[in-house]
Amino acid sequence: MRYKNPHYQRVRGSSTMLVSCGHCRNNIVLYQKVGKGALLRMYVERIVKGSVDLSQKPGLLICPHCKEQLAMRVTLRRKNKEAYIVKRGALHSRFL
Ligand SMILES: [Zn+2]
């Protein structure tokens, strides 16, 4: 994962999660997960680094290895935050 996320902010009380492609298991991002629930969305500012260049504001998160679409970027208006909505079953995640 060679791209640092320029929007990254440290989140207290979060756990580090390794998120990989559900199709080919290529590592996608290192994420600060809050809570133990399933990974349904990923806030952009909680992504530590990735194999995708997030400074380019990609609207779709695409696996650089197998080219599958993994997630779609949205702005959550109520919170005024950018997030990726995870496509169902497209990502594999585990706590480090
Ligand atoms: Zn893949």
Side-chain angles (χ1 to χ4, degrees), residues 21 23-26 28 63 65-68 70:
C21 175
H23 303 277
C24 74
R25 294 294 161 102
N26 184 51
I28 303 298
C63 176
H65 184 70
C66 72
K67 314 295 183 199
E68 287 282 345
L70 307 174

Side-chain angles (χ1 to χ4, degrees), residues 2-51:
R2 57 203 183 99
Y3 296 106
K4 286 191 173 174
N5 177 17
H7 311 292
Y8 165 64
Q9 291 175 22
R10 209 156 86 88
V11 180
R12 266 194 223 175
S14 63
S15 315
T16 304
M17 187 175 237
L18 179 64
V19 180
S20 54
C21 175
H23 303 277
C24 74
R25 294 294 161 102
N26 184 51
N27 288 341
I28 303 298
V29 297
L30 208 58
Y31 186 68
Q32 296 178 111
K33 179 80 167 68
V34 176
K36 297 286 175 198
L39 189 67
L40 302 177
R41 61 168 77 140
M42 296 190 293
Y43 294 99
V44 172
E45 65 190 31
R46 291 186 194 169
I47 297 173
V48 182
K49 60 179 181 172
S51 55

